[in-house]
């Protein structure tokens, strides 16, 4: 059964998905679809993909963007989109080189090279999320310990590589079988097609993407540019005017977002996940929120409310995600087919994609070595007990499943929520050890981040016909680049006297530190009613997943477990934006299906790319000079 929310209620999906032929005798539906993809879409053996220029370009662009994400993350707690931005920059660079370098005129930078470049760039660009904006500064804020540069490099490298290899067994189920939309991955593929493909329809899509990008850039400029002054578009504003509208926005986060990125993501993800997000927002912030505020359990506003809602929401995603994964045990075993070769048995020779998929043996050796490194360093650097370190690695795989499914359905990777599940676990088994609490959670959050990132890139590759092995190799090079550049910059910027101050507030680290301190006393420190919320959320996740599995006819009316869960860890205005995007795309599909098929993904991709690029440019213009000044001062210039 397909779990693709983009197919619900005739939601548009990329036209390049292969059409299936009649089932051959003795051939499973999975093998049939794999063969069709191999014959009709795959071009990884005909088109240049993994090349020195694609790897080096990705490492360079990603390393630079990792510094931006580090600085923005320590300032705001948020990260910047990397993948689409990197693709556009690389395309522009090589187009310019083709005009001046004769060799490049005959050797064009291919669409698969650009996609592989993006894999390296995103791995490097998201390095900050592996601990540099959360666990490391939280450790400093709570214990006063400032890690040495080599300690951070080794830890980040091991955790990130662990995440890369943990994506291996998930790829086949989430991308090949379930066809989860991975909105950023889909948008990246559409952006690359528009830039690299000739032809009338391709040019029409490219023009629509370009104009949408201009619109997205105008929104970011209107909202973030300092010269807009009082005319600037608010980041979010009330649903309706008056005191009641303002109170709803400030106290319960119900408002309209001054951004089109979430609207565009909603258009790609589909109507089912969209209305599930809206339902979740109403339940968490419209029903439970006022009860919590009236009872004095939490403070008003997003940070106050989410300190309670994240527990049932995360529990729902964990039980639902793990059960959905377990119900596909045959596919999971297929993904591990390479393991048979490791232990000396004959592997699965019937798999049509065995020669291009990442072998199960890579997963075994990669997770064994990187997992062992995490356990060893956890013990010798942070005094984490051996068995606790092993438990953290095992839990990381389970939570990576949840994070990857959440990313695939909603484009939101709940890194913080996954980290807090680990913090809660170790708050019970090691209640007085803050260092253990933070660093085990760092393994979970960092690995889940890189696992979801690779799967997003692999979604692009699947749509474009790329070779997943080559993309995985590129991801590892990106991890290397991000580690080598991001850590030295962190040691320069994140001074102990500045962390937690107005100059460098490090909000994500503050949250991690607060949870670690709170759970120092065990489960009793959870907010009032949160433990019951965890139980109820877990039960709901199980029930909805079972309904989806055994009542497929009614699936479009069954709320998405992931959508409901994600709604509890993001502001209500984010959920409203994604619902509006999904609703608009669904209405267009019902009214003008050909137009929707042709333009929905292209326009959505353009909005995401344009606003992301302009947002990055504004932040670099505002923060870049100060950051460069600090680096030069540290170096003695």
């Amino acid at each position: 059964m397909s779990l693709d929310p983009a197919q619900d209620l005739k939601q548009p999906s990329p036209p390049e998905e292969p059409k299936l032929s009649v089932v051959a005798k003795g051939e499973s539906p999975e093998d049939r679809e794999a063969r069709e993809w191999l014959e009709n879409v795959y071009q990884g053996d005909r088109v240049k993909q993994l090349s020195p220029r694609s790897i080096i370009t990705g490492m360079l662009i990603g390393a630079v963007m990792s510094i931006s994400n580090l600085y923005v993350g320590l300032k705001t707690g948020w990260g910047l989109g990397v993948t689409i931005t990197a693709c556009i920059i690389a395309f522009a660079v090589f187009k310019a080189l083709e005009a001046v370098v004769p060799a490049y005129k005959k050797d064009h930078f291919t669409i698969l090279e650009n996609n592989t470049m993006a894999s390296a760039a995103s791995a490097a660009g998201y390095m900050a999320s592996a601990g540099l904006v959360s666990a490391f500064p939280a450790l400093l804020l709570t214990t006063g310990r400032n890690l040495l540069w080599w300690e951070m490099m080794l830890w980040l490298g091991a955790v990130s590589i662990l995440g890369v290899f943990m994506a291996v067994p998930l790829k086949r189920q989430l991308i090949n079988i379930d066809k989860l939309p991975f909105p950023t991955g889909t948008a990246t593929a559409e952006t690359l097609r528009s830039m690299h493909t000739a032809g009338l329809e391709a040019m029409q899509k490219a023009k629509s993407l370009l104009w949408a990008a201009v619109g997205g850039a105008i929104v970011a400029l209107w909202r973030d540019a300092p010269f807009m002054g009082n005319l600037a578009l608010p980041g979010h504003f009330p649903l309706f005017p008056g005191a009641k509208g303002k109170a709803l926005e400030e106290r319960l986060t119900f408002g309209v977002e001054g951004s089109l990125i979430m609207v565009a993501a909603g258009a790609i993800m589909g109507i089912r996940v969209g209305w599930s997000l809206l339902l979740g927002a109403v339940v968490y912030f419209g029903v439970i929120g006022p009860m919590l505020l009236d009872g004095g359990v939490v403070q008003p506003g997003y940070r106050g409310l989410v300190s309670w809602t994240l527990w049932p929401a995360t529990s729902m995603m964990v039980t639902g995600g793990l059960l959905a994964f377990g119900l596909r045990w045959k596919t999971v075993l297929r993904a591990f087919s390479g393991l048979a070769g490791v232990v000396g048995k004959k592997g699965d020779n019937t798999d049509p994609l065995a020669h291009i998929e990442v072998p199960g043996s890579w997963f075994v050796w990669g997770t064994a070595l990187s997992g062992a490194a995490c356990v060893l360093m956890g013990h010798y650097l942070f005094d984490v007990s051996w068995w606790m370190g092993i438990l953290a690695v095992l839990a990381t795989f389970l939570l990576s499943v949840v994070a990857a499914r959440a990313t695939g359905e909603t484009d939101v990777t709940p890194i913080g929520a996954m980290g807090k599940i680990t913090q809660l676990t170790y708050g019970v088994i090691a209640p007085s050890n803050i260092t253990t609490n933070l660093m085990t959670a760092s393994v979970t959050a960092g690995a889940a981040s890189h696992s979801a990132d690779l799967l997003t890139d692999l979604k692009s590759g699947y749509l474009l016909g790329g070779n997943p092995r080559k993309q995985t190799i590129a991801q590892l090079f990106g991890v290397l680049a991000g580690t080598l550049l991001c850590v030295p910059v962190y040691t320069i910027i994140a001074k102990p006297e500045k962390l937690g101050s107005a100059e460098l507030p490090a909000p994500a680290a503050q949250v991690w530190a607060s949870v670690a301190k709170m759970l120092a006393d065990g489960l009793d420190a959870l907010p009032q009613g949160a433990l019951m919320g965890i139980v109820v959320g877990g039960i709901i996740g199980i029930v909805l997943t079972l309904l989806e599995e055994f009542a497929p006819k009614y699936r479009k009316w069954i709320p998405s477990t992931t959508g409901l869960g994600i709604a509890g860890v993001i502001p209500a205005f984010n959920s409203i934006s994604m619902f509006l995007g999904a609703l608009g795309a669904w209405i267009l599909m019902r009214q003008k299906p050909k137009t929707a098929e042709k333009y929905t993904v292209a326009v959505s991709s353009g909005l995401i790319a344009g606003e992301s690029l302009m947002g990055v440019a504004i932040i670099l213009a505002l923060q870049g000079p100060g950051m460069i000044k600090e680096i030069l001062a540290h170096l003695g210039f």
Side-chain angles (χ1 to χ4, degrees):
M1 182 187 70
S2 172
L3 297 180
D4 185 0
Q7 293 176 353
D8 290 330
L9 301 180
K10 298 184 178 179
Q11 179 67 22
S13 57
E16 288 75 9
E17 294 282 4
K19 296 181 179 179
L20 304 184
S21 59
V22 178
V23 182
K25 185 177 181 181
E27 185 178 38
S28 69
E30 178 185 335
D31 286 344
R32 171 171 54 96
E33 186 167 358
R35 178 174 52 78
E36 289 283 349
W37 179 85
L38 194 63
E39 293 173 356
N40 300 328
V41 180
Y42 180 66
Q43 53 180 342
D45 295 333
R46 303 186 303 273
V47 178
K48 184 187 293 186
Q49 182 174 352
L50 184 68
S51 63
R53 65 184 181 182
S54 66
I55 295 296
I56 294 171
T57 304
M59 292 174 71
L60 290 174
I61 294 175
V64 172
M65 296 194 73
S66 73
I67 299 175
S68 301
N69 264 336
L70 172 64
Y71 199 69
V72 172
L74 289 173
K75 282 278 192 181
T76 68
W78 293 91
L80 305 171
V82 173
T83 311
I84 296 177
T85 305
C87 288
I88 294 173
I89 292 174
F91 181 80
V93 167
F94 280 97
K95 274 297 179 185
L97 288 174
E98 286 177 15
V100 296
V101 180
Y104 280 140
K105 291 181 180 179
K106 297 180 180 179
D107 186 16
H108 298 288
F109 190 60
T110 71
I111 189 171
L112 292 187
E113 280 185 296
N114 205 340
N115 186 229
T116 303
M117 178 285 307
S119 297
S122 63
Y126 289 123
M127 184 56 65
S129 64
L132 289 173
V133 299
S134 53
F136 293 169
L139 185 66
L140 178 61
L141 292 171
T142 52
T143 68
R145 180 177 177 183
N146 197 11
L147 297 177
L148 300 174
W149 63 269
W150 62 269
E151 293 175 325
M152 287 187 279
M153 279 191 176
L154 291 175
W155 183 259
L156 288 180
V159 167
S160 301
I161 291 172
L162 179 65
V164 170
F165 285 112
M166 282 190 171
V168 171
L170 304 181
K171 186 263 181 183
R172 182 187 296 273
Q173 180 61 47
L174 300 184
I175 295 176
N176 297 23
I177 307 301
D178 293 351
K179 289 187 174 55
L180 297 185
F182 285 92
T184 291
T186 302
T188 300
E190 190 65 28
T191 301
L192 287 171
R193 284 195 197 100
S194 297
M195 292 189 299
H196 287 269
T197 307
L200 178 60
E201 184 171 339
M203 288 303 298
Q204 290 174 336
K205 286 185 177 182
K207 287 180 180 178
S208 68
L209 187 147
L210 177 62
W211 283 112
V214 171
I218 290 173
V219 170
L221 194 67
W222 182 15
R223 183 188 63 238
D224 299 333
F227 60 77
M228 293 304 300
N230 295 331
L231 297 176
L233 178 70
H236 48 88
F237 43 89
L239 285 171
F240 48 86
K244 288 186 178 180
K246 190 170 182 62
L248 273 176
E249 179 204 3
E250 294 180 350
R251 291 171 59 82
L252 300 171
T253 73
F254 280 102
V256 177
E257 192 173 9
S259 169
L260 293 175
I261 289 179
M262 290 297 184
V263 176
I268 295 173
M269 72 178 61
I271 188 64
R272 177 172 173 253
V273 177
W275 70 256
S276 299
L277 283 161
L278 182 65
L279 175 62
V282 170
V283 171
Y284 291 119
F285 299 101
V287 177
I288 298 176
M291 296 168 60
L292 296 173
L293 293 175
D294 292 342
V297 178
V298 299
Q299 295 296 314
Y302 169 67
R303 293 197 181 279
L305 291 169
V306 82
S307 68
W308 194 96
T309 61
L310 74 87
W311 298 111
T314 303
S315 175
M316 188 185 305
M317 288 189 288
V318 169
T319 57
L322 294 181
L323 179 58
F325 187 70
L327 289 171
R328 301 293 182 276
W329 61 272
K330 290 183 179 179
T331 304
V332 176
L333 291 178
R334 188 73 173 272
F336 285 98
S337 60
L339 179 58
V342 178
V343 296
K345 296 180 181 180
K346 190 176 180 181
D348 183 359
N349 294 323
T350 65
D351 183 3
L353 303 181
H355 64 294
I356 62 170
E357 291 283 12
V358 179
S361 57
W362 288 27
F363 166 78
V364 173
W365 290 112
T367 53
L369 294 174
S370 57
C374 290
V375 173
L376 286 170
M377 285 188 286
H379 181 70
Y380 288 109
L381 296 181
F382 307 111
D383 293 322
V384 177
S385 300
W386 294 104
W387 70 271
M388 289 187 185
I390 295 171
L391 178 63
V393 172
L394 295 176
T396 294
F397 176 72
L398 297 178
L399 295 178
S400 292
V401 173
V402 180
R405 180 166 287 277
T407 304
E409 290 196 26
T410 68
D411 213 31
V412 177
T413 306
I415 299 171
M418 296 301 99
K420 286 172 183 59
I421 286 291
T422 308
Q423 285 190 279
L424 175 62
T425 302
Y426 284 86
V428 175
I429 63 179
S432 59
N433 196 328
I434 289 178
T435 300
T436 294
N437 187 289
L438 289 171
M439 300 319 295
T440 52
S442 170
V443 176
T444 299
S449 170
H450 278 277
S451 182
D453 175 54
L454 175 56
L455 287 166
T456 299
D457 295 332
L458 290 174
K459 175 66 177 184
S460 303
Y462 181 78
L463 295 174
L464 297 172
N467 186 308
R469 290 192 192 187
K470 295 176 181 179
Q471 284 187 264
T472 303
I473 293 170
Q475 188 90 2
L476 294 172
F477 276 104
V479 168
L480 175 64
T483 302
L484 291 177
L485 187 61
C486 217
V487 169
V489 174
Y490 173 84
T491 61
I492 294 171
I493 294 174
K495 297 297 183 184
E497 64 274 11
K498 291 183 179 180
L499 275 177
S501 67
E503 185 177 351
L504 210 63
Q510 297 274 21
V511 172
W512 278 54
S514 298
V515 172
K517 290 176 182 177
M518 180 185 72
L519 293 176
D521 297 325
L523 288 177
D524 293 337
L526 284 172
Q528 180 184 340
L531 186 58
M532 180 57 68
I534 291 172
V535 175
V536 173
I539 293 172
I540 292 173
I542 292 171
V543 171
L544 291 178
T545 302
L546 291 175
L547 286 173
E548 187 175 324
E549 175 69 18
F550 297 108
K553 288 194 304 182
Y554 305 102
R555 181 174 176 270
K556 63 184 180 182
W557 307 113
I558 300 171
S560 161
T561 306
T562 304
L564 286 179
I566 287 294
V569 298
I570 60 177
F573 55 75
N574 280 167
S575 296
I576 292 171
S577 292
M578 287 189 276
F579 165 72
L580 292 175
L583 179 63
W586 176 72
I587 291 174
L588 181 62
M589 187 64 184
R590 296 293 293 266
Q591 300 295 324
K592 297 183 177 180
K594 290 185 178 179
T595 301
E597 285 282 357
K598 187 173 182 179
Y599 291 114
T600 296
V601 175
V603 171
S604 299
S605 303
L607 290 172
I608 293 171
E611 190 170 342
S612 299
L613 282 169
M614 182 58 72
V616 171
I618 292 172
I619 289 171
L620 289 178
L622 294 176
Q623 309 289 357
M627 184 170 62
I628 293 172
K629 186 177 179 181
E630 282 193 51
I631 294 173
L632 292 176
H634 181 81
L635 296 175
F637 292 97

